[in-house]
Amino acid sequence: MTLRIDILMCTFRRPMVAEAIEAIGRITPLPGAELRLVIADNDDTDSAREVVARAAQTLPFPCHYIHAPARNISLARNACLDAATARGADWIVSLDDDETVMPDWLVELMDSVARAGADGGFGTVQAIYPPGAPEWVSALDLHSSHPERFGSGWLKTGNSGNVALRWQGTSWADQRYDLSRGVTGGEDTEFFLRLSAMGVRLVAAPRAVVTEPVPATRQTLEWLAVRRYRMGQTHIVTARNAPQRAWLFATAAAKFAYCRVAERLAGRNETRRNFWFLRGQLHKGVCAGLLDRPAPQLYGRDPV
């Protein structure tokens, strides 16, 4: 029986999408699988069409291009899901347009899911820091994603940059990303939390590795602070009623205060000081989200 797998990718004014596509073309064949690459261009105009078309010539399987304008990442992700649904894809696999897959990436990802009897799995995203990156940035490595660090058993959530999910014929195939989170981020965290609540079983697939270069503009304390703050705001979806929200606010406020004390005690140790500052930003974001403070815009601007 042929297994239809759609590899989904959203892009927005990022020429290096060509390199991402070419790397996908070099992956180890998955026995019994019929692959297709689906790319949703989220720019106002179809600026990536020619870049994608040229790079897709290196693929040993079809590439389906979609123009999904709005500068809203959720809209682009949903366009990919609609395309996969229309094709009747048995599985969907999502990647980011600045990621480079390893040759055995898909084999490892699908094998981890199959061995666990799961409905999906999150692979590893390994950040690549240039030689001039600040020491504390590479030491903390907050740009990488290692799903196995979230514990054993079923995972509740993760991000869409390296994840496989069973699709056709499932009870969640009608689920879509939240459009209101399409410019702030956190849409993937909320999406997978929602699926987990529906009983979707997700596992870590640490050997399914993709790499992602970290540009200089994302190596600053300011950028990371905004990102951690927004992550805290997204976390509030785990509190489903008033008592849970009140408890989450109290614990987050206490943790924020603790982090600020620890930050000051770190003194001149830049790595430890920034660690506690950014951890505090996460808890500050939780409090802000529970107070309905607006989330910062992370998407829809020119990419770095």
Side-chain angles (χ1 to χ4, degrees):
M1 179 179 176
T2 301
L3 194 68
R4 288 167 295 187
I5 301 177
D6 272 2
I7 301 172
L8 312 180
M9 181 183 293
C10 301
T11 190
F12 180 75
R13 298 184 182 180
R14 188 171 269 148
M16 66 186 302
V17 67
E19 299 174 23
I21 294 172
E22 291 165 3
I24 291 171
R26 296 190 293 268
I27 61 175
T28 304
L30 189 67
E34 184 178 288
L35 303 182
R36 181 180 72 157
L37 176 61
V38 178
I39 296 187
D41 184 353
N42 202 212
D43 199 0
D44 304 282
T45 63
D46 57 345
S47 61
R49 185 183 296 273
E50 291 187 11
V51 175
V52 170
R54 285 195 300 271
Q57 294 176 7
T58 65
L59 295 174
F61 45 80
C63 178
H64 178 54
Y65 172 89
I66 305 169
H67 183 214
R71 299 193 183 205
N72 181 307
I73 188 64
S74 291
L75 187 143
R77 294 199 192 284
N78 290 343
C80 288
L81 295 182
D82 291 342
T85 300
R87 184 201 181 200
D90 300 296
W91 285 81
I92 56 174
V93 181
S94 296
L95 291 168
D96 288 342
D97 62 349
D98 57 349
E99 294 176 338
T100 299
V101 301
M102 298 294 100
D104 62 350
W105 155 75
L106 186 58
V107 171
E108 290 287 359
L109 185 58
M110 298 302 293
D111 182 62
S112 293
V113 173
R115 283 189 286 103
D119 300 306
F122 298 101
T124 297
V125 179
Q126 183 61 60
I128 304 297
Y129 299 100
E135 290 186 11
W136 69 268
V137 171
S138 54
L140 294 181
D141 194 23
L142 296 176
H143 299 83
S144 295
S145 175
H146 297 278
E148 69 275 15
R149 295 177 181 175
F150 293 98
S152 58
W154 305 130
L155 304 183
K156 291 185 177 181
T157 192
N159 62 60
S160 293
N162 194 8
V163 57
L165 182 66
R166 192 188 310 275
W167 197 247
Q168 184 186 27
T170 65
S171 60
W172 54 88
D174 61 343
Q175 296 297 304
R176 295 295 183 268
Y177 290 87
D178 184 356
L179 293 177
S180 68
R181 299 178 187 275
V183 296
T184 62
E187 79 291 340
D188 42 5
T189 301
E190 189 278 331
F191 178 77
F192 288 108
L193 278 171
R194 194 185 336 137
L195 265 56
S196 295
M198 296 175 64
V200 177
R201 299 164 301 176
L202 302 165
V203 295
R207 294 190 299 178
V209 180
V210 305
T211 60
E212 182 179 280
V214 181
T217 51
R218 294 190 177 187
Q219 298 170 25
T220 67
L221 188 62
E222 292 76 15
W223 189 90
L224 284 165
V226 172
R227 186 167 184 260
R228 303 293 285 184
Y229 178 85
R230 195 275 305 155
M231 289 172 65
Q233 288 180 298
T234 302
H235 182 70
I236 69 169
V237 299
T238 59
R240 304 184 182 279
N241 53 50
Q244 289 179 353
R245 289 172 65 90
W247 175 250
L248 182 59
F249 184 90
T251 55
K255 291 176 181 178
F256 172 72
Y258 178 87
C259 288
R260 284 296 176 262
V261 172
E263 177 191 347
R264 285 161 176 74
L265 292 176
R268 296 184 179 181
N269 187 321
E270 185 178 32
T271 299
R272 297 303 299 169
R273 187 173 68 247
N274 289 346
F275 168 83
W276 287 112
F277 169 72
L278 292 170
R279 193 171 183 86
Q281 283 294 107
L282 185 73
H283 300 306
K284 182 179 180 180
V286 171
C287 294
L290 291 168
L291 294 174
D292 296 322
R293 298 289 190 267
Q297 180 178 348
L298 295 182
Y299 299 104
R301 300 190 177 102
D302 289 346
V304 293

